[in-house]
Amino acid sequence: MGIRIAERVALCGYLAILAAIVVNLLLPNIARSESPSRTLPNIIFILADDIGYGDFGCYGATKVKTPHIDQLAREGVRFTDAHATASVCTPTRYSFITGQYAFRNPAGDHILSGEAPLSMDAAKPTVASILKKAGYATGQVGKWHLGLGNNDLDYNREIKPGPLEVGFDYAFFFPATGDRVPCVFVENHKVVGLDPNDPIRVSYLKKVGDEPTGLEHPELLVMKAAEGHNNTIVNGIGRIGFMAGGHKARWTDSDMADTLTRKAVAFIERSKEKPFFLYFATHDIHVPRVPHDRYKGSSGCGVRGDAIQEFDGALATVLDALERLKLAEKTLVIVTSDNGGVLEDGYADGSAASANGHRCNGPLRGFKGSLWEGGHREPFIARWPGHIRPGTTSNALIGIVDMLATFAAVAGVDLPPDAGPDSFNALPAILGSSPKTARESLVLQNYNGNGLALRKGPWKFIPARGPGTNGSMPLLFDLKTDIAEATNLAVQKPIIVAEMREELRKIRQGEKSRP
Ligand code: CA
């Protein structure tokens, strides 16, 4: 019996030592899994507005200066075949948040007004809700333009559903675009600085209130406006849509970049103890282009060039904050844009006459709002120290619709079956590991869900008589040899045309395109 007890004691001691060794070996991993903040990188996704493929120095611009963006590219990877999923704002942003092609949802497939209801199903997974569930603090700052409310939007009351209902913990945003009413910021559910004695009224159908419009009083405009941009005048600028009231809440156009950047940095500072995801959607360089005084005339390429340099300055402020907070090493930073470049866009702001040789879309054909490459091929730069090899270039085909699956992969979570039906994980392509490609093909959308094109390998196919295209013939281009889309090869390559037409039909009629 005594021997047995001694044996047991020895055995227990042995087991205790063994257990201690095992625990010690596992402890770092256990600690990591219980405390995501120690291992998960932060994600900052900076989405510029209307920046073209040729607008940054690292993409060939020589006159407009973008030193901080160029530095980011030297420290990370620069993509040459990355695409906004549409040639205008809302559908690209819709696809970013949902991982779904916007053409599948008529509520989010076109440019929305400041009265439109929320364009997505708040119950379905979004890039924000997936990361929130994975332990991230999630913030949205800047342009929203994805609709608000349930057809009951009243800017004087709680504004929801909106960003918070689709997965963001915090939001500071302007509802639609800089050229659309209401010209106010919303923080979470409330208009910032709203005086209840001066309620906001908004209409896109008829004039509200008695403030002058650009149509009635063009002499009051500081910037000549084209039709559609000549409704209510706010800060001397005719807007799309009519608004009344909310005078104390109205933004100052030249301060927009600074205000939004300050809010982005404040979110980073507040969230630094957790892994965080910041979706920073700038107003720059959308119209009306009213950069701060310190950028006026800075580019020598007109107000559009000045706005690009202001965007570069905003990026610098965000990157400085990461350095100051010692977060740069554990943060994936991505910079891209929602659609291609355009010169004058509703206002006679002199952008065309003063471009001074700057080519906003570089060698590409077309502009924002077209299915040509100039409408959707974008700069795309990613930096993640220690993970992405500095100064690299990738020619992988990726789309902004891929960010949902990509960020889920960064966070180490599997996609729920109903999440991101068109989103492919581009992380291996971003990291330069194998496979270097994220996807075989990509659907590109014009300004509504009827205008679609398909990319596959070097080929780009645009169906005949699709809206946004003029011809009665289908178009087929070999982008490897003809990035300017100058030579239509549809007649010479009927088999490729037939295959791509069929693939586009299948993707369009199906419910998802990812595996
Ligand atoms: Ca845009």
Side-chain angles (χ1 to χ4, degrees):
M1 191 71 168
I3 293 169
R4 279 189 188 166
I5 290 170
E7 281 173 351
R8 280 182 194 168
V9 169
L11 186 63
C12 285
Y14 173 73
L15 287 174
I17 291 166
L18 191 66
I21 292 169
V22 169
V23 166
N24 274 324
L25 283 172
L26 291 179
L27 195 58
N29 291 328
I30 291 168
R32 271 201 292 273
S33 66
E34 286 175 353
S35 177
S37 61
R38 297 200 187 165
T39 55
L40 292 177
N42 308 306
I43 301 169
I44 299 181
F45 183 71
I46 302 179
L47 189 62
D49 202 339
D50 296 3
I51 288 272
Y53 191 68
D55 274 332
F56 296 154
C58 52
Y59 282 84
T62 55
K63 290 176 176 165
V64 173
K65 304 295 183 204
T66 55
H68 303 96
I69 291 158
D70 303 344
Q71 178 68 24
L72 194 76
R74 282 195 293 275
E75 294 168 355
V77 60
R78 184 179 70 88
F79 281 74
T80 58
D81 202 1
H83 297 262
T85 22
S87 68
V88 291
C89 304
T90 301
T92 289
R93 289 158 197 268
Y94 175 87
S95 75
F96 165 65
I97 298 281
T98 64
Q100 182 193 46
Y101 285 136
F103 69 78
R104 300 199 194 282
N105 173 20
D109 76 351
H110 60 287
I111 299 170
L112 297 182
S113 79
E115 286 187 301
L118 182 66
S119 55
M120 64 196 70
D121 182 350
K124 288 203 173 154
T126 65
V127 67
S129 70
I130 288 169
L131 290 175
K132 183 174 177 164
K133 212 170 168 184
Y136 277 73
T138 53
Q140 182 269 341
V141 173
K143 178 169 173 172
W144 181 239
H145 208 190
L146 290 167
L148 296 161
N150 282 322
N151 288 307
D152 55 355
L153 183 58
D154 180 346
Y155 282 102
N156 305 290
R157 302 167 72 91
E158 283 217 312
I159 297 160
K160 64 181 186 180
L164 267 52
E165 284 65 37
V166 304
F168 289 101
D169 296 317
Y170 172 78
F172 184 96
F173 61 94
F174 54 105
T177 60
D179 56 350
R180 282 178 173 77
V181 299
C183 301
V184 297
F185 293 118
V186 178
E187 190 162 34
N188 298 324
H189 289 140
K190 291 281 184 73
V191 169
V192 179
L194 179 63
D195 176 358
N197 296 316
D198 184 26
I200 294 173
R201 281 183 293 154
V202 170
S203 173
Y204 278 72
L205 298 175
K206 60 180 191 316
K207 184 174 174 178
V208 291
D210 55 7
E211 290 182 60
T213 67
L215 183 65
E216 297 160 350
H217 291 283
E219 77 280 3
L220 298 177
L221 298 173
V222 297
M223 205 183 274
K224 197 177 165 206
E227 192 181 342
H229 286 73
N230 56 8
N231 299 150
T232 303
I233 299 171
V234 176
N235 305 336
I237 297 166
R239 312 284 167 161
I240 303 174
F242 302 93
M243 83 174 284
H247 289 84
K248 285 183 184 164
R250 295 183 186 187
W251 66 55
T252 301
D253 293 85
S254 58
D255 290 339
M256 282 182 86
D258 287 343
T259 301
L260 297 175
T261 305
R262 202 167 53 243
K263 293 292 178 182
V265 169
F267 173 78
I268 294 169
E269 286 170 343
R270 281 199 308 278
S271 311
K272 64 181 190 298
E273 301 300 332
K274 278 184 91 175
F276 64 80
F277 164 53
L278 169 64
Y279 169 35
F280 181 23
T282 65
H283 162 65
D284 280 326
I285 62 159
H286 198 281
V287 296
R289 301 178 185 119
V290 190
H292 191 271
D293 277 352
R294 65 186 190 278
Y295 290 101
K296 265 189 197 165
S298 64
S299 70
C301 297
V303 71
R304 189 178 179 282
D306 300 346
I308 297 169
Q309 298 196 170
E310 184 172 66
F311 175 81
D312 187 69
L315 173 72
T317 304
V318 171
L319 296 179
D320 283 350
L322 291 180
E323 289 294 334
R324 174 166 51 82
L325 299 167
K326 300 189 173 20
L327 295 173
E329 299 293 317
K330 44 186 163 183
T331 303
L332 166 63
V333 177
I334 292 176
V335 175
T336 186
S337 176
D338 69 338
N339 53 252
V342 60
L343 298 176
E344 292 181 15
D345 191 17
Y347 301 100
D349 65 5
S351 286
S354 55
N356 193 22
H358 176 78
R359 298 176 70 194
C360 64
N361 295 321
L364 308 181
R365 182 174 180 176
F367 297 92
K368 170 185 179 179
S370 81
L371 274 175
W372 303 118
E373 290 292 294
H376 51 77
R377 190 182 289 232
E378 291 299 332
F380 186 104
I381 299 157
R383 184 190 79 172
W384 186 6
H387 297 265
I388 297 172
R389 209 147 57 85
T392 47
T393 303
S394 172
N395 62 2
L397 176 66
I398 60 170
I400 286 177
V401 68
D402 294 328
M403 294 305 102
L404 181 142
T406 303
F407 294 167
V410 171
V413 297
D414 293 329
L415 279 189
D418 58 340
D422 301 300
S423 190
F424 286 67
N425 176 14
L427 188 59
I430 289 173
L431 297 179
S433 53
S434 181
K436 286 198 188 316
T437 52
R439 49 163 70 241
E440 294 287 308
S441 62
L442 175 68
V443 177
L444 302 153
Q445 189 204 296
N446 208 357
Y447 45 77
N448 66 39
N450 293 322
L452 301 180
L454 182 69
R455 257 302 298 284
K456 187 165 192 174
W459 301 108
K460 178 171 174 187
F461 167 67
I462 306 177
R465 292 203 182 282
T469 62
N470 298 320
S472 56
M473 287 283 293
L475 301 173
L476 182 74
F477 300 102
D478 180 353
L479 297 182
K480 201 169 179 186
T481 57
D482 180 22
I483 200 168
E485 299 171 281
T487 306
N488 181 13
L489 298 174
V491 172
Q492 290 97 310
K493 306 279 184 188
I495 295 170
I496 291 172
V497 166
E499 286 171 356
M500 292 189 76
R501 181 185 288 124
E502 177 60 11
E503 180 162 347
L504 181 58
R505 187 192 66 75
K506 275 188 184 161
I507 294 172
R508 192 173 196 171
Q509 291 182 355
E511 291 183 352
K512 65 187 288 192
S513 57
R514 77 167 168 90

